[in-house]
Amino acid sequence: MPRRPNTTLMAKPSSDDEKPSSSEVEDRRPKSAEKAGKRGFSEVSAMEHVQSLTKLGPHPVGSDALDLALQYVFAASEKMKRTAHWEVDVQVDFFHAKIGASRLASGLFKGKTHIYSDLKHVVLRILPKYLPAAEENLILVSSHIDTVFATEGAGDCSSCVGVMLELARGISQWAHGFKNGVIFLFNTGEEEGLNGAHSFITQHPWSRAIRFVIDLEAMGIGGKSSLFQGGSAPWAIETFAKVAKYPSGQIIAQDLFLSGAIKSATDLQVYQEVAGLPGLDFAYSDATAVYHTKNDKLKLLKPGSLQHLGENMLAFLLHTAMSSRLHKVAEVEREEGTNQTQAIFFDVLGKYMVVYTQQLASMLHNSVILQSLLIWIASLLMGGYPGAISFGLSCLSIVLMWIFSLSLTILVAFIIPLISTSPVPYIAYPWLVVGLFGAPAMLGALTGQHVGFFFLKKYLHHVYKKRVPSLSHSVQENLINWEAERWLFKSGFIQWLILLVVGNLFKVGSSFLALVWLVSPAFAYGLMEATLSPTRLPKQLKIITLILGLAVPVLVSAGMITRLVGTIIGVLVRFERSPGSAPDWLGSLIVAIFSAAVVCLMLVYLLSYIHLSGAKGLVIFSMCTLLALTLTAVSSGIFPTFTEDISRAVNVVHVVDTTGRYGSQDPASFVSLFSATPGKLTKEVENLKDEEFACGRNKTLDFVTFTVNYGCWSSKDGNNGWSKLDIPELHVESDYMSDVRKTRVLIDTKLATRWSLAVNGEEISDFTFEVGSEELVPSGNKSMVDGWHIIQFAGGKNSPTKFHLNLFWSTNTSHPSQKAYKQAEDAASLLLKLRTDVNMVTPKVERVLQKLPHWCSLFGKSTSPYTLAFLMLFLFNFSQT
């Protein structure tokens, strides 16, 4: 069996004069082109590219602005051919992908088929001129040029494109010493379902020689670009940790991403699932609330952000591109990749990165778990029956701590929607969470632990009366207090041990947190406090024990938790994938539970000191005061939920509904206003009184890829701005019975080159999809979600608009009655649901957008409609033709 090469032996730059000098990488502050030099990275130069792209405004697939963005990137790439080192070959390809289809199996893509057409990419390949073998071993650096229709995309992902262009310029001065080539892919179609990456990796001839992938992304704007996926390439993570100046990455982000807690996907999924390539995923995540809104703008891009990513990537690319073992290492990882070889990684203050394999993690965890259990068993045996009861009561204090802490924070989560105009009033000012949830979590945890402390002391009174009856009452009281305090401190070990056991069982990468929070305090306690004899009387816990025990855990996890809280709060802006489907308090409930968990897990050791410190009353008063002040501030609206830079995500869609669900054969035309941010649209509609909007839950709107359960609508002037000639059509061309019933449907989307079609998987067992004479989607392997399979199409201006769908009926499907046929509003009787999107602003929509509050922003994603959408249901006439 081949063995994984030792990554520490990977080749370094061949000579000292080819290494970036220390003066070139002094700090994270933006560097000018002069200071960076020909071979360094300049944020100032990269920012010029970002500025040029954001000036174009939103540039989604199919827009004229995207064509201009592609021309700009192509021109900048062509310029590198003239300025590259004379021994470096720079090749630029303006790649026009053929029509294609993608069916990814996991994550957000389960139950979906994505079809794309007329996509264009800029592909830049940099090779050493006199080493032909480098063409066969390529490193891909990938990101996307396109944006959603709602934003100029300064962060997502013009910042990535700017960094890549500046990286490519620098690499073109180094590549004569490379053993491997580098490809920079500037793709389009990412925002419509990762279509750009799929079209490149399945169609471009250069893709066959790619051995490793680096994907650059953004789910916020600026800050540190952190490694958040890549556990399957431990050698690459080890190399990155070794050579990057500012190594930043947390496996907890990978755990959350892969678990589905963060509803998103990146191009790396395509490269791994379709091509089986190892790779690393990097993303900006500061100001997550601006993601896909108008506030993803240049002025919010923090200085130093591009320098941070650029210098890290330059160092990493130089090291890997100069390695003669890249192909061999990548192949071994691909063939031998198992859970045991997955990498565990985390950074400390963004300066150092710790990397080790899951195999080593399992060994460490198993060792610590075994030793902990042995120590606890030995301790309980030495303590006898009183020790066992004390242990049980200390565990009770942990349970009570969680119950009280969760109860108070959850209560606040339910109260907030009742006293505030928004159920998530802390989005623009995340620090309010400290008062709204941190304070009650602390108050509840302290109260619950104190109740346990009370019962523990009561029991210890009986023990000490029998054990040392000769001691005075005051001395006994002190001993009881000190022993109870020690039991509370040690109870913290129990909860972290439980988490470590569970994490180790399921191979959770972020279990290292449980390891750190268990081992460090336990070691400090053993060093400073532990007694070997059960007859020795206890002493009060030392402050130095707390300091020594928490120093390392706090250092490792404080920044991580802070960023995680910020991300959770930012995600609430787009929390409801189907608006109105969740109760208003659910977002705050999640923040409340997370806050209580952080307090109970990470402050358990500190809380054990408070009961005897004399500060208990002060802490309770402070927490009550802080909670009261923040609740008052929230209810009075002193701190607005949204601001000029942190917007509420809304959609304003002119809907032409031809489904007949409103009792008329003529198309119903109205403007729909809804929001992915929790809460009613009361304030927004106040600005739209003359537009005659009505709001509520009594007009559910099915947009095929999601459903609006709560929203507002207005039919006033709804017939202006669109034409009946633009209404899509579905025609049955044939319907016959052979082995199974087969129906051939013609789909004509008219002027729309972006649409979504749902196929009823309970009636239809399979289908094929054709464009002209080409079968894009063959039969077989169709998954469903909630009984439907979704086809999403997105393409450029020259995309086809006529398609054929061949439906194969389920063998147990019979001809429904005429009564069932007439019930078009009954989803069970539907065969197809179609929505076509047009990136056009009708007069009505334009007025609404102008009148909405300044803190509202359109929100874009692959499943959401443009500002004009046509809806159609297809219920087939079941008589044979």
Side-chain angles (χ1 to χ4, degrees):
M1 291 287 289
R3 298 179 64 188
R4 181 169 65 87
N6 185 344
T7 55
T8 60
L9 300 179
M10 292 180 69
K12 296 183 179 181
S14 57
S15 61
D16 290 339
D17 63 337
E18 291 206 10
K19 297 178 183 178
S21 67
S22 59
S23 62
E24 286 180 335
V25 286
E26 250 180 17
D27 49 48
R28 271 181 59 192
R29 286 175 293 182
K31 291 181 182 176
S32 64
E34 293 75 19
K35 187 174 181 181
K38 286 200 304 181
R39 294 183 169 189
F41 184 90
S42 165
E43 176 171 311
V44 174
S45 298
M47 189 62 75
E48 290 175 2
H49 298 307
V50 181
Q51 290 170 343
S52 297
L53 292 171
T54 53
K55 282 179 182 176
L56 299 174
H59 34 282
V61 168
S63 66
D64 293 334
L66 182 58
D67 290 337
L68 295 175
L70 281 162
Q71 291 171 18
Y72 175 84
V73 173
F74 181 75
S77 301
E78 281 285 324
K79 183 179 178 181
M80 290 175 208
K81 296 171 67 173
R82 301 188 295 271
T83 60
H85 190 280
W86 66 277
E87 292 182 282
V88 173
D89 185 15
V90 176
Q91 303 165 3
V92 183
D93 182 26
F94 193 85
F95 179 58
H96 193 167
K98 298 185 298 182
I99 190 169
S102 164
R103 276 190 292 173
L104 300 176
S106 59
L108 299 177
F109 300 96
K110 184 180 179 182
K112 290 184 179 181
T113 297
H114 284 268
I115 301 174
Y116 50 82
S117 175
D118 193 30
L119 295 183
K120 299 166 186 173
H121 319 310
V122 177
V123 192
L124 176 63
R125 185 167 70 166
I126 302 177
L127 302 165
K129 190 172 289 185
Y130 302 110
L131 187 64
E135 287 189 29
E136 300 304 316
N137 296 289
L138 301 174
I139 302 165
L140 174 65
V141 185
S142 173
S143 193
H144 62 97
I145 304 175
D146 63 308
T147 71
V148 295
F149 77 98
T151 178
E152 64 189 37
D156 184 20
C157 213
S158 295
S159 61
C160 311
V161 173
V163 166
M164 284 171 57
L165 287 170
E166 175 62 5
L167 271 176
R169 182 204 60 76
I171 291 293
S172 70
Q173 305 299 324
W174 285 93
H176 56 287
F178 286 3
K179 303 293 191 300
N180 311 290
V182 180
I183 288 181
F184 291 90
L185 170 63
F186 305 89
N187 73 63
T188 64
E190 190 273 349
E191 297 292 6
E192 297 296 345
L194 316 183
N195 295 333
H198 189 275
S199 63
F200 169 78
I201 208 68
T202 57
Q203 297 182 26
H204 200 284
W206 292 350
S207 67
R208 291 189 289 271
I210 293 171
R211 309 301 174 199
F212 180 73
V213 177
I214 300 169
D215 183 51
L216 304 183
E217 259 297 350
M219 61 177 296
I221 183 165
K224 293 180 181 179
S225 181
S226 296
L227 172 65
F228 74 100
Q229 280 196 103
S232 60
W235 60 271
I237 299 177
E238 290 169 9
T239 302
F240 175 74
K242 180 171 66 175
V243 303
K245 185 178 180 184
Y246 318 108
S248 177
Q250 298 290 350
I251 195 171
I252 192 172
Q254 176 174 290
D255 288 342
L256 290 171
F257 202 83
L258 296 180
S259 71
I262 297 177
K263 305 291 184 182
S264 189
T266 72
D267 284 339
L268 186 63
Q269 180 176 346
V270 174
Y271 300 131
Q272 290 181 330
E273 194 172 315
V274 176
L277 292 168
L280 301 181
D281 227 339
F282 295 86
Y284 292 113
S285 58
D286 278 16
T288 309
V290 309
Y291 179 72
H292 283 193
T293 69
K294 67 180 182 181
N295 290 317
D296 186 2
K297 53 192 176 185
L298 193 62
K299 81 168 192 174
L300 297 184
L301 187 55
K302 297 178 182 177
S305 301
L306 307 189
Q307 196 70 42
H308 175 267
L309 176 59
E311 291 194 2
N312 280 349
M313 287 298 100
L314 182 60
F316 179 68
L317 282 172
L318 291 181
H319 192 93
T320 51
M322 289 181 180
S323 169
S324 59
R325 307 181 67 179
L326 172 67
H327 175 54
K328 191 178 296 184
V329 174
E331 283 300 312
V332 170
E333 289 292 349
R334 188 191 301 198
E335 292 174 7
E336 292 192 346
T338 64
N339 284 339
Q340 292 301 311
T341 60
Q342 293 282 312
I344 309 299
F345 58 93
F346 59 92
D347 72 73
V348 180
L349 302 178
K351 293 291 185 181
Y352 310 98
M353 182 172 279
V354 179
V355 184
Y356 54 96
T357 64
Q358 179 63 56
Q359 185 175 16
L360 177 58
S362 296
M363 292 170 58
L364 284 172
H365 297 170
N366 289 332
S367 175
V368 169
I369 290 168
L370 181 60
Q371 291 180 60
S372 299
L373 291 175
L374 288 174
I375 290 171
W376 273 109
I377 291 171
S379 176
L380 291 175
L381 289 175
M382 291 173 63
Y385 181 77
I389 298 299
S390 298
F391 171 78
L393 290 172
S394 65
C395 290
L396 176 64
S397 74
I398 291 291
V399 174
L400 292 173
M401 176 181 70
W402 279 88
I403 291 173
F404 278 72
S405 185
L406 284 169
S407 298
L408 285 183
T409 53
I410 290 172
L411 178 63
V412 172
F414 284 119
I415 289 174
I416 286 175
L418 303 177
I419 65 172
S420 172
T421 56
S422 169
V424 284
Y426 40 81
I427 285 178
Y429 299 93
W431 53 264
L432 286 172
V433 168
V434 176
L436 289 174
F437 302 113
M442 181 77 169
L443 188 62
L446 182 60
T447 303
Q449 196 183 64
H450 191 72
V451 173
F453 182 66
F454 171 80
F455 288 119
L456 184 56
K457 284 203 309 177
K458 198 168 184 180
Y459 174 74
L460 289 174
H461 268 291
H462 298 291
V463 174
Y464 272 84
K465 281 182 180 179
K466 296 178 180 179
R467 182 179 170 188
V468 282
S470 59
L471 294 179
S472 66
H473 177 74
S474 60
V475 173
Q476 274 196 11
E477 280 296 319
N478 286 334
L479 292 175
I480 289 167
N481 286 335
W482 295 340
E483 181 158 354
E485 181 184 52
R486 285 168 173 263
W487 275 111
L488 291 185
F489 188 90
K490 290 187 291 183
S491 68
F493 304 157
I494 301 300
Q495 60 178 0
W496 283 112
L497 179 59
I498 292 171
L499 287 177
L500 183 60
V501 170
V502 173
N504 188 53
L505 181 63
F506 292 100
K507 298 295 183 286
V508 179
S510 47
S511 298
F512 77 90
L513 285 170
L515 182 72
V516 172
W517 280 91
L518 171 61
V519 171
S520 183
F523 177 78
Y525 183 86
L527 181 67
M528 306 300 299
E529 307 287 353
T531 59
L532 299 178
S533 170
T535 60
R536 185 175 174 181
L537 297 177
K539 296 181 179 179
Q540 188 170 12
L541 288 175
K542 304 177 183 68
I543 294 296
I544 190 64
T545 304
L546 185 67
I547 295 172
L548 289 176
L550 298 191
V552 173
V554 169
L555 194 66
V556 168
S557 55
M560 179 194 317
I561 297 301
T562 302
R563 295 185 72 179
L564 189 56
V565 170
T567 299
I568 292 172
I569 293 172
V571 167
L572 292 180
V573 168
R574 52 191 183 277
F575 180 68
E576 295 190 336
R577 300 184 72 82
S578 289
S581 60
D584 286 347
W585 43 259
L586 184 58
S588 286
L589 180 66
I590 292 171
V591 178
I593 292 173
F594 182 79
S595 301
V598 169
V599 168
C600 291
L601 288 170
M602 297 184 176
L603 297 185
V604 60
Y605 303 113
L606 174 64
L607 289 174
S608 64
Y609 278 74
I610 294 177
H611 305 286
L612 301 179
S613 66
K616 183 174 59 185
L618 178 61
V619 170
I620 293 174
F621 174 77
S622 300
M623 293 301 103
C624 290
T625 302
L626 181 59
L627 175 60
L629 288 174
T630 48
L631 285 174
T632 302
V634 163
S635 63
S636 63
I638 295 175
F639 300 103
T641 305
F642 307 103
T643 64
E644 190 70 38
D645 293 333
I646 303 294
S647 298
R648 180 172 191 177
V650 301
N651 287 88
V652 181
V653 186
H654 195 136
V655 179
V656 180
D657 192 328
T658 66
T659 63
R661 72 181 80 203
Y662 302 112
S664 171
Q665 295 301 315
D666 293 327
S669 179
F670 55 90
V671 170
S672 175
L673 170 66
F674 54 91
S675 175
T677 311
K680 301 293 186 293
L681 292 162
T682 309
K683 277 194 169 184
E684 291 79 355
V685 172
E686 285 179 3
N687 290 33
L688 304 171
K689 289 180 179 178
D690 55 340
E691 298 295 341
E692 301 178 4
F693 272 90
C695 300
R697 296 179 176 272
N698 57 334
K699 193 171 185 177
T700 301
L701 192 56
D702 186 347
F703 276 107
V704 180
T705 53
F706 68 98
T707 302
V708 176
N709 297 290
Y710 168 81
C712 305
W713 58 92
S714 169
S715 299
K716 179 182 177 182
D717 300 332
N719 292 323
N720 297 327
W722 61 276
S723 169
K724 288 187 177 182
L725 297 176
D726 299 332
I727 296 176
E729 296 179 356
L730 297 171
H731 294 296
V732 175
E733 291 192 341
S734 65
D735 179 52
Y736 61 93
M737 181 72 72
S738 56
D739 295 336
V740 295
R741 186 179 182 186
K742 300 179 182 178
T743 303
R744 183 174 175 84
V745 179
L746 171 66
I747 304 171
D748 186 353
T749 61
K750 297 302 176 69
L751 55 78
T753 58
R754 183 182 191 261
W755 50 265
S756 300
L757 178 73
V759 180
N760 189 335
E762 296 181 1
E763 301 282 352
I764 303 300
S765 63
D766 204 353
F767 65 84
T768 62
F769 188 89
E770 300 172 3
V771 179
S773 60
E774 182 180 2
E775 185 180 75
L776 281 181
V777 182
S779 60
N781 301 320
K782 307 295 195 308
S783 59
M784 294 187 298
V785 174
D786 298 329
W788 295 88
H789 185 92
I790 306 293
I791 303 172
Q792 287 183 231
F793 181 96
K797 294 189 289 290
N798 297 318
S799 296
T801 57
K802 290 185 178 181
F803 314 90
H804 281 100
L805 183 68
N806 300 306
L807 303 173
F808 302 91
W809 293 69
S810 299
T811 54
N812 59 353
T813 299
S814 60
H815 290 246
S817 64
Q818 285 297 314
K819 180 180 179 181
Y821 170 72
K822 293 177 181 178
Q823 293 175 337
E825 70 278 4
D826 181 4
S829 68
L830 298 178
L831 199 61
L832 303 173
K833 299 187 292 186
L834 175 66
R835 186 193 83 219
T836 61
D837 301 326
V838 182
N839 196 6
M840 178 189 301
V841 177
T842 63
K844 171 80 170 183
V845 170
E846 185 175 16
R847 292 201 310 270
V848 172
L849 291 175
Q850 290 173 349
K851 294 175 183 178
L852 279 173
H854 64 89
W855 39 261
C856 286
S857 169
L858 289 177
F859 175 67
K861 58 181 179 180
S862 64
T863 56
S864 61
Y866 283 161
T867 47
L868 175 60
F870 295 86
L871 300 181
M872 173 174 284
L873 300 180
F874 184 66
L875 184 66
F876 184 55
N877 187 336
F878 291 95
S879 60
Q880 292 279 115
T881 58

